[in-house]
C-alpha cells in the first residue's frame, strides 16, 4: 500500500471546458512550491496525486497553494476487490487510536459491482472484527475512514486538510496593484492572487519627504505576496515633483483628490505599457475622506480602466485579520511615512466637485506625468538578494 497525497481541486471543478487550462496552472504552482523536493505528480480530470517520501513536508507547502480545495493523506490499494479493501482498511486503522468510527464510501467508478453503502457495511464489519475495543458511531465518530473507489485503484484516507481554495495563480491574467506601505493594499493584493491574478506593483514615493526605508517596506510586502507564487516587478514612481507642484499651486482641501487622480493617470499608462488588464488597490468605502463614494467617483473619473477594489466593503478589523494571517501586518505597521500622509491637508474635502477639480487641474503641468513614467525604477520580485542592494 503506497502512502501518497491526494489533491481535491478547488473551484476549478466548475470550469467545464477549460478545466485542463486550470489544472495545468495548478501543476505549475505546485512545481514552483515544491522546487528542490523529490516528488512525482500524476493528474487527471478529477484528482491530482503526489508521490513523495516527504509526505508531511509537501503537505505543509501545498497548504499555501491556491486552487486546492483539500489535501488528503491517502493509502493507495491497487487490488480493488472487496477482500483487499477490507484487509487494507484494517491495516490502516490498526495504527490509529480511536474508540468510534464510521466508513464512508464514494465510487467514482460507478461500474464497481458493489454499491457504496454496501461497501461501507462490509468494510465496517471487517474493521469491527479485527480491531478490539471499538464501535461504530455514524453521527459523531472519532474517525471517518473514506473509501474512494476509482477505476485504477482504491484510496483509503482519514486525514484531510483544508486547502486555500481560489484559482491557481496566473489563470486570470495580470493586473497592476497600487501597493503602499499600509495595511490594506497588500491584503487587496493577496485576495486578488487568491482569485488567480498575477500581480505587478506600482509604488509612488516622494523622496526626500519619504524615506528609502518606506520603499524597502513596500518591497518586503511585495515579497510576501510572492510567497503565494507571484513573480513580477515593483515599479517605483518618483512622485515628488507632482506632489510638490500640487501642494504649492492647487486648492488645498482638494490635495488628496488631485494626488490620487495623478496616481490613477500614471497607473493607467503603466498598466497599458506592461499589458496589465486591470488596476487593483486597497480602497475601502468610507475609510478616509478620499474614499467616500463621491471621492472614489471623482478620482475614478480620470480612467476607463477597470479598477478592482477587493476591500471595498471590508471592516478594518477583517482586513487586519487577513494581514496577520499572511504575515504582512508587522511590516505594514512599521512607522515609515508614505507619500499621502506627508501631504495631508488639514480639512480634506469629503464631497469633491468634478467641475471644481477640472477647472483647477487646468493649472497642472501634465508633462510631469510623462516625466514620472519615463523615470520609473523597476525592481523584480521576489528579491533573493539583500534588499539594501536595491536602495
Ligand atoms: P493601505 O490602504 O495600503 O493601508 P493607506 O491606507 O495609507 O495604505 P490609502 O490612503 O488608504 O492608503 O490609499 C488607498 C489605496 O491607494 C491604497 O490601499 C493603495 O492601493 C493606494 N495607494 C495609496 N498610497 C500609495 C502609494 N504611495 N503607492 C501606491 N499605491 C498607493
Ligand atoms: Mg487604506
Amino acid at each position: 500500500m503506497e502512502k501518497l497525497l491526494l489533491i481535491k481541486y478547488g473551484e476549478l471543478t466548475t470550469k467545464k471546458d477549460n478545466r485542463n487550462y486550470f489544472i495545468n496552472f495548478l501543476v505549475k504552482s505546485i512545481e514552483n512550491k515544491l522546487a528542490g523536493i523529490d516528488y512525482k505528480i500524476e493528474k487527471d480530470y478529477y484528482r491530482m496525486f503526489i508521490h513523495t517520501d516527504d509526505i508531511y513536508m509537501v503537505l505543509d507547502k501545498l497548504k499555501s497553494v491556491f486552487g486546492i480545495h483539500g489535501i488528503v493523506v491517502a493509502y493507495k490499494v491497487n487490488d480493488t476487490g472487496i477482500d483487499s479493501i477490507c484487509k487494507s482498511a484494517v491495516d490502516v486503522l490498526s495504527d490509529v487510536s480511536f474508540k468510534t468510527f464510521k466508513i464512508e464510501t464514494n465510487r467514482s467508478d460507478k461500474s464497481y459491482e458493489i454499491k457504496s453503502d454496501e461497501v461501507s457495511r462490509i468494510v465496517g464489519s471487517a474493521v469491527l472484527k479485527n480491531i478490539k475495543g471499538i464501535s461504530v458511531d455514524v453521527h459523531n465518530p472519532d474517525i471517518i475512514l473514506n473509501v474512494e473507489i476509482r477505476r485504477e485503484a482504491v484510496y483509503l484516507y482519514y486525514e484531510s486538510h483544508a486547502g486555500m481554495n481560489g484559482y491557481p495563480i496566473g489563470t486570470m491574467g495580470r493586473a497592476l496593484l497600487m501597493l503602499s506601505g499600509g495595511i490594506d493594499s497588500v491584503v487587496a493584493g493577496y485576495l486578488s492572487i487568491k482569485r488567480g491574478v498575477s500581480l505587478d506593483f506600482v509604488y509612488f514615493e516622494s523622496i526626500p519627504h519619504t524615506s528609502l526605508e518606506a520603499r524597502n517596506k513596500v518591497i518586503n510586502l511585495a515579497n510576501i505576496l510572492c510567497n503565494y507564487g507571484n513573480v513580477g516587478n515593483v515599479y517605483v514612481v518618483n512622485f515628488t515633483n507632482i506632489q510638490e507642484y500640487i501642494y504649492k499651486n492647487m486648492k488645498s482641501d482638494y490635495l488628496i483628490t488631485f494626488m490620487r487622480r495623478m496616481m490613477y493617470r500614471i497607473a493607467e499608462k503603466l498598466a497599458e505599457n506592461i499589458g496589465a488588464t486591470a488596476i487593483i488597490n486597497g480602497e475601502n468605502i468610507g475609510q478616509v475622506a478620499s474614499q467616500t463614494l463621491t471621492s472614489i467617483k471623482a478620482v475614478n473619473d480620470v480612467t476607463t480602466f477597470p479598477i478592482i477594489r477587493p476591500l471595498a466593503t471590508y471592516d478594518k478589523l477583517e482586513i487586519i485579520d487577513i494581514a496577520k494571517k499572511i504575515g504582512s501586518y508587522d511590516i505594514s505597521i512599521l512607522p515609515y511615512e508614505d507619500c499621502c500622509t506627508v501631504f495631508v491637508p488639514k480639512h480634506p474635502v469629503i464631497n469633491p466637485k468634478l467641475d471644481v477639480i477640472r477647472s483647477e487641474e487646468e493649472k497642472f503641468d501634465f508633462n510631469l506625468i510623462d516625466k514620472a513614467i519615463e523615470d520609473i525604477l523597476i525592481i523584480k520580485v521576489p528579491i533573493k538578494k539583500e534588499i539594501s542592494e536595491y536602495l
Side-chain angles (χ1 to χ4, degrees):
M1 228 181 338
E2 186 199 358
K3 191 172 180 181
L4 43 63
L5 293 169
L6 180 159
I7 291 177
K8 298 181 175 178
Y9 299 139
E11 222 177 297
L12 65 162
T13 49
T14 58
K15 303 278 174 288
K16 275 218 173 75
D17 294 338
N18 48 8
R19 189 152 156 163
N20 281 330
Y21 168 84
F22 282 82
I23 293 172
N24 290 337
F25 269 97
L26 183 57
V27 169
K28 256 189 245 156
S29 295
I30 292 176
E31 284 171 350
N32 284 340
K33 201 69 194 184
L34 299 185
I37 298 175
D38 219 16
Y39 67 94
K40 205 178 109 231
I41 292 183
E42 205 187 324
K43 64 179 163 51
D44 66 25
Y45 203 68
Y46 303 97
R47 294 276 189 254
M48 194 179 286
F49 301 96
I50 305 214
H51 305 269
T52 175
D53 291 335
D54 293 317
I55 294 265
Y56 288 93
M57 192 221 278
V58 169
L59 170 68
D60 212 44
K61 290 188 179 285
L62 294 179
K63 284 182 188 166
S64 61
V65 173
F66 292 119
I68 294 179
H69 174 67
I71 313 148
V72 152
V73 180
Y75 296 84
K76 182 177 182 186
V77 182
N78 290 320
D79 176 354
T80 60
I82 190 71
D83 292 343
S84 149
I85 299 177
C86 287
K87 181 177 174 322
S88 305
V90 172
D91 286 350
V92 166
L93 290 181
S94 295
D95 291 338
V96 196
S97 126
F98 62 96
K99 287 258 172 295
T100 56
F101 77 104
K102 176 185 178 184
I103 308 286
E104 273 182 8
T105 304
N106 166 335
R107 286 178 311 161
S108 73
D109 175 13
K110 296 288 181 220
S111 69
Y112 193 77
E113 65 276 15
I114 311 174
K115 294 238 157 53
S116 298
D117 285 351
E118 185 64 6
V119 172
S120 295
R121 207 188 49 71
I122 298 171
V123 175
S125 308
V127 170
L128 272 177
K129 205 160 106 197
N130 288 283
I131 302 178
K132 298 275 159 291
I134 56 167
S135 61
V136 172
D137 180 345
V138 289
H139 301 297
N140 190 21
D142 296 341
I143 195 171
I144 296 176
L145 182 73
N146 291 274
V147 178
E148 185 163 320
I149 302 176
R150 296 166 56 82
R151 205 170 287 271
E152 78 285 358
V154 171
Y155 298 87
L156 303 178
Y157 57 85
Y158 57 86
E159 192 184 337
S160 296
H161 300 263
M164 295 284 269
N165 288 312
Y167 294 129
I169 185 153
T171 46
M172 293 294 160
R174 202 158 256 286
L176 181 63
L177 174 70
M178 297 170 68
L179 181 61
S180 71
I183 295 169
D184 302 334
S185 45
V186 58
V187 172
Y190 166 81
L191 293 175
S192 309
I193 290 178
K194 182 170 181 190
R195 296 307 290 173
V197 179
S198 298
L199 295 178
D200 284 303
F201 309 91
V202 59
Y203 165 59
F204 299 87
E205 67 178 9
S206 282
I207 289 176
H209 311 293
T210 62
S211 61
L212 285 176
E213 281 85 354
R215 185 201 290 177
N216 198 346
K217 185 173 156 182
V218 168
I219 295 169
N220 273 319
L221 292 175
N223 259 343
I224 285 193
L225 291 176
C226 293
N227 291 339
Y228 298 92
N230 195 68
V231 178
N233 290 325
V234 179
Y235 294 91
V236 180
V237 179
N238 181 341
F239 208 48
T240 315
N241 291 339
I242 293 174
Q243 270 194 309
E244 287 180 352
Y245 191 96
I246 294 172
Y247 194 64
K248 283 183 198 140
N249 301 298
M250 298 171 74
K251 206 170 157 4
S252 69
D253 53 339
Y254 275 65
L255 287 185
I256 302 271
T257 314
F258 295 132
M259 258 161 41
R260 298 195 62 76
R261 284 168 66 95
M262 303 310 162
M263 280 187 184
Y264 269 43
R265 286 181 169 112
I266 292 172
E268 179 187 66
K269 284 207 176 132
L270 178 59
E272 262 163 9
N273 291 348
I274 64 175
T277 27
I279 293 168
I280 296 172
N281 67 34
E283 283 174 336
N284 175 262
I285 299 170
Q287 190 181 80
V288 284
S290 61
Q291 292 170 37
T292 60
L293 285 180
T294 326
S295 287
I296 289 178
K297 178 168 184 279
V299 173
N300 213 137
D301 168 65
V302 300
T303 178
T304 52
F305 231 73
I307 311 285
I308 312 289
R309 302 175 176 88
L311 302 182
T313 61
Y314 280 53
D315 287 345
K316 193 73 187 190
L317 289 178
E318 293 171 315
I319 300 171
I320 289 175
D321 275 351
I322 302 176
K324 286 185 174 160
K325 194 178 84 187
I326 65 175
S328 61
Y329 184 73
D330 289 343
I331 298 173
S332 292
I333 58 173
L334 292 172
Y336 310 113
E337 299 260 33
D338 168 279
C339 67
C340 288
T341 42
V342 176
F343 291 94
V344 182
K346 277 210 183 68
H347 300 291
V349 61
I350 289 174
N351 287 310
K353 307 262 178 310
L354 271 176
D355 51 340
V356 175
I357 293 170
R358 287 182 185 147
S359 79
E360 191 70 8
E361 272 188 358
E362 281 170 19
K363 297 181 194 162
F364 186 73
D365 175 6
F366 279 93
N367 290 322
L368 293 174
I369 300 263
D370 299 331
K371 180 83 176 75
I373 291 171
E374 270 167 35
D375 290 348
I376 282 177
L377 170 74
I378 304 175
I379 299 172
K380 241 182 169 0
V381 283
I383 282 189
K384 304 241 164 53
K385 299 185 200 173
E386 278 297 303
I387 285 180
S388 56
E389 288 178 40
Y390 290 82
L391 297 178

